[in-house]
Amino acid sequence: MMKPARTKPPRRALAKKPSNNGQKDPVGVYCRVRPLSPSDQECCIEVINETTVQLHPPDGCKVNKNGEYKETQYSFKQVFGTHHTQKDLFDVVAKLLVEDLIRGKNGLLFTYGVTGSGKTYTMTGSPGQGGLLPRCLHMIFNSIRDLQAKRYVFKTDDKNGIEVQNMVEALLDRQKRDAQPQIVPKTPLSRQKPEPEFADMINIEDGCKVEDIDEDSVYSVFVSYIEIYNNYIYDLLEEVPIDPIKPKPPQSKILREDQNHNMYVAGCTEVEVKTTEEAFDVFWKGQKRRRIANTQLNRESSRSHSVFMLKLAQAPLDADGENVLQEKEQITVSQLSLVDLAGSERTNRTKAEGSRLREAGNINQSLMTLRTCIEALRENQMCGTNKMVPYRDSKLTHLFKNYFDGEGKVRMIVCVNPKADDHEESLQVMRFAEMTQEVEVARPVDKPICGLTPGRRYRNQAFKEELTRRLEERGGPVIGESEEQTAIELLFQSFPPIPSCELLDANDNQTLPQLIEALEKRRRIRQMMSEEFTKSVTSFRSMLQDFNGVVAAKENIAQGKVTEKERTIISQKSEIERLEKKVKTLEYKIDILEKTTSIYEGEKRNLQQDLESQQQKLQRQLSDKRRLEARLQGMASENAMKWEKECERRVAAKQLEMQNKLWVKDEKLKQLKAIVTDSKSERPERPSREKDREPKVPVRSISPSPVSNVPPVHSRHRRSHSAGAERWVDHKPSGSVETEMIMQPHVPNSIKVSVASEKALSKCDKYMLTHQQLASDGEMETKIIKVTI
């Protein structure tokens, strides 16, 4: 029997921390221009003022349509030129982020630019010129130096949370840590001398600290270091056992979401550090494991995005100012992420192949996803749309989703190289930076107040110091547990030794008196010590009474101040209530105005929709009209071409017909000429019978040659058919033989001629020729040929 499937209970949606009345701050974008290297001669970036840079196109660059070079200017929150130091950059960009970190607010700082533009130098620094990261560490530990909790008082869990432990649990964890064998040497608790590799980087003489820090809380710093390589996340602090036979590749990590909907790297190593040297030592070990390579543009090019995360946990002290308050709700966790992005690059310049080509493709793809997310955020905020932001397309954007959708300050440093070869890449970087400045992030809220009396840490310290001073004045210094045991041993040694109690003789009169004397001395010493102790107790009691009196007086003073503060708070509360009422009234008015505005906007949208529909209808009608006109024009042109072709065809056919007719007339005229020429010969005689007996040879009619002596007939001499009866030219050659046929042709109005002449042909409309020739059977054959002139 199958068990019913367990249904997972729905997860309760946890609300994010409210922001300060919906206030937002734009992303702070700063620009840093690195010095031009000696090998580069031409510079394409010029710093105009503290907030503006100008890009000049290099020689040989394409010009505008008007034939001029296009120079563009870009504005930032502040521009740092070649004369600015690392401290100048830190004071403006990162110092406020560290102050917010200690006050319980999140922050994100990342460097962006093409490869070889100085991003890693800006973040890490060089010997003698510490970057932003060591300066942030120095400022943090310089501010919380005397306020740090002991190790393992704060303990991280596997779900991106922090737990607080009591002193006993923390002590057990410390002993367990010291007892465990370490595969690699542990990071020391304190280092007197840092490693020579980075000693000059963290030797910051002009360090600063946060003022007005909460001195009634304890702090602990946890660091973690990851890299995003080929869109996979790797832990740079993870200690993997070295197997020389079969080495294991590093395992990638996955992103998860905690109960507050914040993204974190599951299974990432978090190290608790207590000094700047220790924290930078952890960073340096991870830095050695980061993937770098030599390319055509950079000798040590970063092939991955690195993220160094500083997590600060703080919790208030209890009412006595002695121990940490054991309430998880009172723990405040803030995080500062320092991101060194890999530089965008073009493969045709770096000449990358194989794995380097794949790395460059993944780097460019992740940076393109970052740009797409920024564009979507900007469009949603400026146009009021709800376009989905593709955070999940890249591990980089998915990890920092909370900073853009949640709350916290975001700062970006755009690093540019002024050399002419990077002009096109610098243009793209500048455009992205200019667009990023228009994105706004919710302003973080201040951490909640625990409600305990402020100044309790120093009151506890003052009480201990006063108690120690008075004890030293009256009875010696206060001793600890180990010193108390030593004092007791010395006390027992100060007593006179007890003599031997063994009686060897019944007449021994010395042993018992000596024993009695020693015990008497011990009794007197004990009595003196008891009296001294009584005096000490009395003095201590009087001291406590005096101290209680002082404390009571101070409490009365404090109570008076508290009462005065309460009165001030009450007056401020009444003022706040009045302002809240005013705010509610204004909100009500704003609601009415918003409703009115929404109604007008709805009407406006309806009118706009109607206008758009009418415009679309008009556009459709115009397009239909244009299509119809084009169609009619096409049909007209097609018909014109068709009729033109038809006319050409008919003209060609008519010309061909006329040519045929002319050819026929020419042929007839040739025959006529031949007949006329033959008619001048003698009249044919009837052959004899002897000729009849001879074999008969058929006579073929040969077309006469064209008549050259017959003049052409001009059209102006032709008579119209409607002018009267038709007139004929009856041409009978002079040698024609009269026949006695019954059917003789009768031609009225004819002009009988024996030889054709131009004069006779010009007066008549038709022409008739009587032609006689000898047939094949010896008989006379007569033909009558009629021609219309």
Side-chain angles (χ1 to χ4, degrees):
M1 183 176 178
M2 296 180 62
K3 294 182 180 180
R6 295 180 61 185
T7 58
K8 185 177 181 180
R11 186 176 67 177
R12 182 178 62 182
L14 297 176
K16 289 183 175 292
K17 294 185 294 184
S19 59
N20 288 338
N21 299 326
Q23 296 180 356
K24 293 185 176 182
D25 294 324
V27 176
V29 180
Y30 303 85
C31 179
R32 188 178 198 187
V33 183
R34 66 163 291 173
L36 193 67
S37 59
S39 59
D40 298 320
Q41 300 296 330
E42 187 177 2
C43 179
C44 65
I45 297 178
E46 179 185 359
V47 179
I48 302 298
N49 51 42
E50 293 183 354
T51 59
T52 308
V53 295
Q54 182 171 343
L55 269 70
H56 306 278
D59 295 340
C61 186
K62 294 182 179 179
V63 296
N64 260 349
K65 294 181 179 179
N66 56 3
E68 297 178 356
Y69 288 102
K70 184 178 180 181
E71 296 179 348
T72 54
Q73 290 186 357
Y74 297 93
S75 297
F76 300 92
K77 198 166 184 180
Q78 188 165 341
V79 177
F80 297 90
T82 56
H83 61 280
H84 287 90
T85 62
Q86 298 275 48
K87 183 180 182 303
D88 297 336
L89 184 67
F90 172 78
D91 291 340
V92 176
V93 180
K95 187 176 180 179
L96 293 178
L97 294 178
V98 176
E99 292 179 356
D100 288 345
L101 175 71
I102 295 179
R103 292 187 174 92
K105 302 175 185 178
N106 297 331
L108 171 64
L109 173 62
F110 61 97
T111 56
Y112 182 84
V114 300
T115 180
S117 58
K119 301 182 298 298
T120 304
Y121 170 78
T122 299
M123 188 62 68
T124 307
S126 63
Q129 289 288 332
L132 298 179
L133 191 148
R135 292 180 182 273
C136 289
L137 293 174
H138 187 272
M139 182 175 178
I140 291 172
F141 289 107
N142 195 27
S143 302
I144 64 171
R145 179 180 304 169
D146 300 329
L147 306 178
Q148 296 189 68
K150 294 184 178 180
R151 287 187 187 273
Y152 297 105
V153 171
F154 293 100
K155 186 177 181 180
T156 60
D157 57 14
D158 296 334
K159 299 180 181 179
N160 200 32
I162 298 289
E163 297 177 351
V164 61
Q165 299 186 124
N166 55 35
M167 301 303 294
V168 177
E169 293 173 341
L171 178 61
L172 291 176
D173 285 342
R174 287 195 295 270
Q175 292 176 353
K176 187 186 299 183
R177 172 181 176 272
D178 295 337
Q180 286 179 352
Q182 300 293 326
I183 299 174
V184 295
K186 296 184 297 185
T187 303
L189 298 179
S190 61
R191 186 186 298 275
Q192 299 297 330
K193 293 183 179 180
E195 292 287 343
E197 293 177 298
F198 57 83
D200 293 336
M201 293 185 186
I202 61 176
N203 186 15
I204 300 172
E205 298 178 355
D206 50 357
C208 52
K209 61 183 297 185
V210 179
E211 302 295 338
D212 299 332
I213 190 171
D214 185 8
E215 297 174 344
D216 293 319
S217 298
V218 291
Y219 302 85
S220 285
V221 179
F222 297 87
V223 296
S224 57
Y225 196 18
I226 64 170
E227 71 170 350
I228 302 175
Y229 175 73
N230 287 340
N231 207 25
Y232 289 97
I233 299 176
Y234 296 97
D235 185 5
L236 295 177
L237 303 181
E238 185 178 15
E239 299 292 351
V240 180
I242 301 175
D243 189 354
I245 300 176
K246 189 177 181 181
K248 294 182 180 180
Q251 297 295 321
S252 62
K253 305 296 181 180
I254 60 175
L255 290 175
R256 293 191 183 276
E257 190 177 25
D258 61 9
Q259 60 180 359
N260 295 323
H261 304 295
N262 295 322
M263 304 306 301
Y264 71 98
V265 181
C268 180
T269 304
E270 292 182 320
V271 182
E272 185 178 5
V273 291
K274 295 300 179 183
T275 61
T276 304
E277 293 79 7
E278 184 181 354
F280 202 82
D281 184 29
V282 173
F283 164 77
W284 199 253
K285 287 182 179 178
Q287 187 75 359
K288 291 179 179 179
R289 300 173 184 173
R290 189 182 175 189
R291 292 173 173 87
I292 59 174
N294 184 11
T295 63
Q296 293 286 338
L297 301 181
N298 193 353
R299 187 167 54 89
E300 293 183 356
S301 176
S302 301
R303 313 310 297 169
S304 63
H305 309 299
S306 66
V307 183
F308 188 75
M309 289 176 282
L310 292 164
K311 185 181 290 186
L312 181 66
Q314 52 183 306
L317 296 173
D318 56 10
D320 296 332
E322 183 70 24
N323 299 317
V324 182
L325 196 63
Q326 298 291 316
E327 294 181 9
K328 190 173 182 179
E329 294 78 10
Q330 295 293 336
I331 301 175
T332 302
V333 180
S334 55
Q335 181 172 307
L336 175 60
S337 299
L338 304 176
V339 185
D340 181 14
L341 295 177
S344 59
E345 57 186 36
R346 292 188 178 183
T347 55
N348 58 354
R349 293 186 59 200
T350 58
K351 309 298 181 183
E353 296 179 353
S355 60
R356 297 291 170 265
L357 182 62
R358 181 188 175 195
E359 292 167 357
N362 284 291
I363 290 171
N364 294 335
Q365 181 63 34
S366 61
L367 295 177
M368 182 61 66
T369 304
L370 175 62
R371 181 167 187 165
T372 305
C373 294
I374 294 294
E375 289 177 351
L377 284 171
R378 173 176 170 271
E379 182 179 352
N380 291 341
Q381 293 177 2
M382 298 186 66
C383 303
T385 59
N386 194 18
K387 186 178 180 181
M388 187 188 70
V389 184
Y391 290 116
R392 293 180 177 269
D393 291 353
S394 173
K395 293 291 194 303
L396 177 67
T397 53
H398 196 194
L399 177 60
F400 299 116
K401 168 180 177 292
N402 312 106
Y403 289 97
F404 294 100
D405 283 351
E407 57 186 26
K409 287 187 179 180
V410 180
R411 298 287 181 267
M412 181 175 75
I413 301 176
V414 177
C415 299
V416 291
N417 193 340
K419 66 178 182 179
D421 295 338
D422 290 347
H423 177 261
E424 295 185 5
E425 290 87 345
S426 298
L427 276 177
Q428 300 296 328
V429 170
M430 293 295 183
R431 291 168 184 166
F432 171 68
E434 193 174 42
M435 176 184 61
T436 306
Q437 294 182 102
E438 300 176 357
V439 177
E440 294 182 344
V441 181
R443 184 179 298 176
V445 298
D446 296 328
K447 68 177 183 178
I449 301 174
C450 65
L452 297 176
T453 306
R456 53 192 179 277
R457 175 194 289 269
Y458 286 110
R459 283 202 304 271
N460 185 29
Q461 291 181 0
F463 172 74
K464 290 181 178 180
E465 291 175 357
E466 183 67 19
L467 181 61
T468 303
R469 185 182 65 80
R470 294 197 178 188
L471 287 177
E472 288 178 351
E473 290 178 355
R474 298 190 180 186
V478 180
I479 57 177
E481 182 179 356
S482 60
E483 294 178 355
E484 184 179 357
Q485 294 177 358
T486 306
I488 293 173
E489 292 177 357
L490 293 174
L491 181 62
F492 280 110
Q493 291 177 4
S494 64
F495 284 120
I498 299 176
S500 178
C501 299
E502 185 179 2
L503 296 175
L504 301 177
D505 188 4
N507 297 322
D508 189 359
N509 295 325
Q510 295 180 358
T511 301
L512 289 177
Q514 291 177 357
L515 181 60
I516 292 171
E517 184 180 0
L519 291 176
E520 186 66 24
K521 287 181 179 179
R522 284 180 172 246
R523 186 186 66 81
R524 286 195 300 267
I525 293 173
R526 179 177 174 275
Q527 187 176 1
M528 291 172 58
M529 291 178 62
S530 177
E531 292 175 356
E532 184 67 24
F533 179 74
T534 303
K535 291 179 181 179
S536 299
V537 168
T538 304
S539 62
F540 184 71
R541 185 179 288 111
S542 62
M543 182 188 67
L544 286 178
Q545 290 175 356
D546 295 340
F547 186 76
N548 288 333
V550 174
V551 171
K554 290 183 178 181
E555 285 180 353
N556 292 332
I557 296 172
Q559 188 66 31
K561 292 182 179 180
V562 168
T563 305
E564 184 180 355
K565 293 292 185 183
E566 287 178 352
R567 294 196 193 98
T568 306
I569 290 172
I570 291 172
S571 62
Q572 290 178 353
K573 283 184 178 179
S574 61
E575 182 67 18
I576 289 171
E577 290 176 357
R578 185 183 66 81
L579 293 175
E580 285 179 350
K581 290 179 181 179
K582 187 176 180 180
V583 167
K584 288 181 180 178
T585 306
L586 294 176
E587 286 178 351
Y588 177 72
K589 292 181 180 179
I590 289 172
D591 291 337
I592 295 175
L593 292 175
E594 286 180 350
K595 290 179 182 178
T596 307
T597 305
S598 63
I599 293 172
Y600 286 139
E601 286 180 351
E603 294 178 356
K604 181 181 177 182
R605 283 195 297 269
N606 295 331
L607 292 175
Q608 286 180 349
Q609 289 177 0
D610 294 340
L611 180 60
E612 290 176 356
S613 62
Q614 293 295 332
Q615 288 178 351
Q616 291 176 0
K617 185 176 179 181
L618 182 60
Q619 291 291 337
R620 286 197 297 271
Q621 291 178 355
L622 291 175
S623 61
D624 294 341
K625 182 179 178 181
R626 283 194 288 269
R627 283 199 299 272
L628 184 59
E629 289 177 353
R631 184 178 178 184
L632 291 176
Q633 290 178 358
M635 293 175 63
S637 61
E638 185 179 356
N639 289 333
M641 293 176 62
K642 181 177 179 181
W643 283 110
E644 185 178 353
K645 290 181 180 179
E646 182 66 20
C647 291
E648 290 177 355
R649 186 184 64 78
R650 290 184 181 183
V651 169
K654 197 68 176 178
Q655 289 178 352
L656 182 61
E657 183 181 358
M658 296 300 295
Q659 289 176 1
N660 292 335
K661 287 182 180 181
L662 289 174
W663 182 80
V664 171
K665 288 183 179 181
D666 291 340
E667 288 296 324
K668 290 180 179 180
L669 290 175
K670 289 178 182 178
Q671 293 177 4
L672 179 61
K673 181 179 179 181
I675 293 171
V676 170
T677 305
D678 293 341
S679 64
K680 294 181 180 181
S681 61
E682 294 180 358
R683 183 179 180 177
E685 298 180 355
R686 185 179 183 83
S688 60
R689 295 293 181 183
E690 295 177 355
K691 291 182 180 180
D692 293 340
R693 297 189 186 97
E694 293 179 1
K696 298 179 180 180
V697 179
V699 179
R700 299 176 63 184
S701 175
I702 302 174
S703 298
S705 59
V707 182
S708 60
N709 56 357
V710 179
V713 180
H714 298 283
S715 59
R716 66 174 179 269
H717 300 295
R718 176 178 292 179
R719 293 174 177 267
S720 173
H721 293 284
S722 63
E726 296 178 348
R727 301 190 68 180
W728 290 77
V729 176
D730 187 4
H731 181 197
K732 290 184 179 180
S734 57
S736 299
V737 180
E738 294 292 335
T739 60
E740 297 178 355
M741 293 185 298
I742 298 175
M743 301 296 293
Q744 289 289 339
H746 176 69
V747 181
N749 299 326
S750 61
I751 299 175
K752 297 182 179 180
V753 296
S754 58
V755 178
S757 63
E758 181 179 1
K759 182 177 180 181
L761 292 174
S762 63
K763 295 179 180 180
C764 299
D765 298 326
K766 295 186 178 181
Y767 170 78
M768 182 176 67
L769 173 65
T770 303
H771 174 60
Q772 293 179 342
Q773 66 180 6
L774 189 63
S776 59
D777 56 357
E779 296 293 333
M780 182 65 68
E781 181 181 4
T782 303
K783 293 183 180 180
I784 297 175
I785 301 171
K786 295 181 178 181
V787 178
T788 301
I789 300 174

